[in-house]
Amino acid sequence: MEPTPLSTKFNCNTESNNSRKNKARKEILEKKKRMDELIKAACAKKDHLASFPSFSNFDKNGLSVVLKSGSGDKLSSSVKRHLQKILKDNMERHYTDEWATEEKVKRRELVAPEARYIFVYEASHNHDVNNNDMMLDKGESHLPVGFVQYRFTLEEEIPVLYVYEIQLESCVQGRGLGKILMRLIELIAQKNCMSAVILTVQKANVVAMDFYTTKLGYTISSISPSRVDPLMGVEMSYEILCKVFDSEAKAILE
């Protein structure tokens, strides 16, 4: 039997390598398509709260509120101004000199079409004592006392729910509402097949950092500056935290 020419062996190996590369490329493209479809489907839902009716009302610790869904491109001018005020009241001290620049970014994020909201409203509202009534647009009865702003997106090709803001007025803080809102967010993430919840916390906000890491079990993510490059992390004013729901997300994001 004559030996197989080297050129034939080389051609066979080349074809085999090309086949493997094509298969791998196809799998990557198919996975990306699936992830994009997951994000698109999650964003298309108008009311994520509808799947969790038991969370529509919170009546505990002397606090009675109702929750409602919303989106960034549907904010009235009065609600938009009020959210900006809550943000400034809560966050300016943590950003210090960076606030002027950061506030501009946050204002754009508030009204982005992809921004989704859970609004918190007081269940019993006294119009006579609420100074914010003067800010109301036509058809609005009162303004929210808190909100969660979130988006569905990809991080390291992993579908995640990214919490941009969770902000409460001082009058409703310290009553367990923040923990309920984050539990709702985690359920919304899982319901929409997201693999993790991610959020950013200012290092100076030690109360928030303790809330997420100690009370809710979030960890500093592998994509946080301090994990990517410890030297760079020292210079950055924030950490990225995560809670993952599957092994792939755990391997990449934790």
Side-chain angles (χ1 to χ4, degrees):
M1 180 180 293
E2 295 184 1
T4 303
L6 289 176
S7 60
T8 302
K9 290 183 178 179
F10 177 78
N11 289 337
C12 289
N13 289 336
T14 301
E15 290 175 2
S16 177
N17 288 336
N18 287 339
S19 177
R20 285 195 293 269
K21 288 179 180 178
N22 288 336
K23 182 179 179 181
R25 189 179 298 112
K26 183 179 180 181
E27 290 175 351
I28 291 172
L29 291 174
E30 288 177 347
K31 180 181 179 180
K32 186 179 186 306
K33 183 180 179 181
R34 290 196 305 272
M35 298 301 99
D36 288 341
E37 288 174 348
L38 278 180
I39 299 298
K40 185 177 179 180
C43 290
K45 293 183 181 179
K46 300 297 183 183
D47 184 1
H48 295 110
L49 187 58
S51 298
F52 308 99
S54 62
F55 281 83
S56 294
N57 297 274
F58 177 87
D59 194 347
K60 192 176 180 182
N61 299 328
L63 179 64
S64 183
V65 297
V66 295
L67 308 184
K68 294 182 180 180
S69 296
S71 60
D73 55 354
K74 303 294 184 184
L75 298 182
S76 68
S77 58
S78 58
V79 168
K80 182 170 63 176
R81 288 193 301 268
H82 190 58
L83 301 191
Q84 291 170 355
K85 182 180 184 303
I86 296 175
L87 267 171
K88 185 173 183 177
D89 290 346
N90 287 349
M91 301 305 297
E92 184 175 18
R93 65 184 180 276
H94 299 302
Y95 283 93
T96 60
D97 294 341
E98 298 176 5
W99 177 249
T101 300
E102 189 64 27
E103 185 178 27
K104 294 177 182 178
V105 175
K106 289 182 177 295
R107 288 189 175 194
R108 290 195 297 269
E109 292 172 348
L110 285 175
V111 297
E114 60 269 30
R116 296 293 177 268
Y117 284 90
I118 300 295
F119 294 112
V120 181
Y121 291 92
E122 288 181 294
S124 57
H125 179 76
N126 189 329
H127 293 276
D128 295 329
V129 299
N130 193 328
N131 294 327
N132 290 322
D133 285 349
M134 295 178 63
M135 300 172 57
L136 296 174
D137 283 352
K138 185 178 180 180
E140 292 179 336
S141 59
H142 57 290
L143 293 168
V145 292
F147 67 96
V148 184
Q149 182 204 156
Y150 61 98
R151 298 187 193 184
F152 298 99
T153 187
L154 294 176
E155 287 288 342
E156 304 296 321
E157 300 305 314
I158 299 292
V160 305
L161 185 157
Y162 208 118
V163 178
Y164 274 59
E165 303 289 347
I166 174 169
Q167 302 291 343
L168 300 174
E169 289 188 7
S170 57
C171 62
V172 294
Q173 292 178 12
R175 315 273 194 96
L177 181 56
K179 188 179 292 186
I180 291 294
L181 289 171
M182 286 305 299
R183 177 55 181 155
L184 172 60
I185 285 296
E186 291 166 11
L187 290 173
I188 289 173
Q190 292 173 296
K191 177 71 174 180
N192 289 275
C193 302
M194 299 295 108
S195 295
V197 171
I198 291 184
L199 50 89
T200 302
V201 181
Q202 290 297 112
K203 291 178 181 178
N205 194 348
V206 293
V207 173
M209 188 69 76
D210 180 70
F211 172 70
Y212 291 116
T213 57
T214 303
K215 296 182 179 179
L216 299 184
Y218 281 71
T219 59
I220 297 177
S221 174
S222 62
I223 64 174
S224 190
S226 66
R227 295 279 304 280
V228 174
D229 183 345
L231 292 178
M232 178 183 71
V234 171
E235 299 177 358
M236 304 305 288
S237 62
Y238 65 90
E239 295 282 11
I240 298 174
L241 307 183
C242 69
K243 178 179 284 190
V244 302
F245 306 126
D246 59 52
S247 57
E248 183 180 10
K250 184 178 181 67
I252 295 174
L253 296 176
E254 276 196 351

